[in-house]
């Protein structure tokens, strides 16, 4: 396990420790790569941009060097962008998938990555056949699918979660039950440092 106290010794506030602990759980063996990118982002934004990492990981022109060092929102944006690229996460618009079925295909890939074999996705088609499409409001479909997938993989020892960044998108991750219990608690006091971030599980999504 990486000793996170050695990464940024002069700036390890409590929220930063939580961020690094969160990233280490979510990114597993790829955490050191994220750590290196984060260090470059925070110490040399110009070099980060020159190497094309800004477009690659969603660090838009709105982020200035002052913004990057003021709070941890840039670090969280980098976390999600890096996780999308490496398959640990999956960008999901609140209105639904850009390609129908891509969400459950990603979940199945994560299940396989945990060494749990192939996930038969027939249950998703069965569920879809029962839906009354006339009664489903915009955005509700993907929330219900989130619950369906989370409920289905729970007996496998896995939890489907997402990072709530206050955006019109979900950033889902699949973690082991034991790792879910290890996730840092993001309190209201942490929010100023994070910009905005909450961790929610599939069964904590709002219901009508």
């Amino acid at each position: 396990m990486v000793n996170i106290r050695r990464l940024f010794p002069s700036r390890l506030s409590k929220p930063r420790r939580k961020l690094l602990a969160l990233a280490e759980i979510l990114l597993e063996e790829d955490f050191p790569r994220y750590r290196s990118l984060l260090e470059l982002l925070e110490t040399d934004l110009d070099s980060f941009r020159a190497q094309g990492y800004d477009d690659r990981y969603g660090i838009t022109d709105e982020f200035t060097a002052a913004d990057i060092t003021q709070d941890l929102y840039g670090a969280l944006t980098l976390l999600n962008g890096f996780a999308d690229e490496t398959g640990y996460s999956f960008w999901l618009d609140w209105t639904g998938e850009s390609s129908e079925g891509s969400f459950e295909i990603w979940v199945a890939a994560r299940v396989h990555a945990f060494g749990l074999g192939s996930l038969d996705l027939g249950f998703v088609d069965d569920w879809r056949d029962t839906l009354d499409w006339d009664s489903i409001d915009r955005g509700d479909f993907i929330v219900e699918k989130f619950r369906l997938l989370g409920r289905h993989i729970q007996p496998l020892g896995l939890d489907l979660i997402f990072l709530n960044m206050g955006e019109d998108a979900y950033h889902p991750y699949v973690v082991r039950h034991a790792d879910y219990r290890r996730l840092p608690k993001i309190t209201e006091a942490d929010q100023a440092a994070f910009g905005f971030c909450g961790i929610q599980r599939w069964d904590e999504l709002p219901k009508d």
Side-chain angles (χ1 to χ4, degrees), residues 86-107:
T86 51
Y88 291 100
S89 190
F90 174 83
W91 189 88
L92 189 61
D93 188 85
W94 73 277
T95 60
E97 304 131 300
S98 57
S99 176
E100 180 59 41
S102 55
F103 187 19
E104 56 261 37
I105 290 171
W106 171 79
V107 169

Side-chain angles (χ1 to χ4, degrees), residues 146 160-164 180 198-202 204-206:
F146 208 110
L160 179 60
I161 67 170
F162 76 97
L163 297 189
N164 184 348
Y180 176 76
I199 303 172
Q200 291 179 269
R201 197 169 64 174
W202 63 272
E204 296 172 334
L205 288 164

Side-chain angles (χ1 to χ4, degrees), residues 9-177:
S10 63
R11 302 175 57 209
L12 273 179
S13 63
K14 188 173 182 180
R16 175 170 292 280
R17 289 198 298 271
K18 288 186 178 183
L19 167 68
L20 294 174
L22 174 65
E24 187 174 13
I25 291 170
L26 296 181
L27 300 177
E28 300 180 325
E29 66 269 16
D30 286 306
F31 171 68
R33 290 176 56 202
Y34 166 75
R35 175 198 64 195
S36 297
L37 287 166
L38 179 59
E39 186 170 13
L40 180 62
L41 171 67
E42 296 188 326
T43 59
D44 193 344
L45 180 58
D46 288 340
S47 293
F48 186 90
R49 293 194 188 283
Q51 295 180 57
Y53 292 140
D54 51 347
D55 291 335
R56 190 168 167 181
Y57 299 121
I59 305 298
T60 65
D61 292 340
E62 297 175 358
F63 287 96
T64 66
D67 292 332
I68 296 298
T69 56
Q70 182 176 356
D71 60 38
L72 298 172
Y73 193 81
L76 285 164
T77 300
L78 175 61
L79 169 60
N80 285 321
F82 180 79
D84 288 349
E85 180 184 69
T86 51
Y88 291 100
S89 190
F90 174 83
W91 189 88
L92 189 61
D93 188 85
W94 73 277
T95 60
E97 304 131 300
S98 57
S99 176
E100 180 59 41
S102 55
F103 187 19
E104 56 261 37
I105 290 171
W106 171 79
V107 169
R110 295 304 300 143
V111 170
H112 188 269
F114 282 110
L116 297 173
S118 299
L119 186 65
D120 184 352
L121 295 175
F123 72 96
V124 180
D125 293 329
D126 294 341
W127 164 77
R128 189 183 288 110
D129 289 341
T130 68
L131 296 177
D132 179 2
W133 293 99
D134 292 333
S135 65
I136 297 177
D137 293 330
R138 190 177 186 215
D140 286 351
F141 172 75
I142 204 64
V143 170
E144 291 303 322
K145 181 182 276 193
F146 208 110
R147 292 195 187 104
L148 174 77
L149 292 168
R151 187 164 51 246
H152 194 83
I153 68 173
Q154 191 172 40
L156 300 176
L158 302 174
D159 281 306
L160 179 60
I161 67 170
F162 76 97
L163 297 189
N164 184 348
M165 301 280 289
E167 303 169 340
D168 292 335
Y170 297 99
H171 301 280
Y173 293 82
V174 175
V175 297
R176 301 175 184 86
H177 286 339

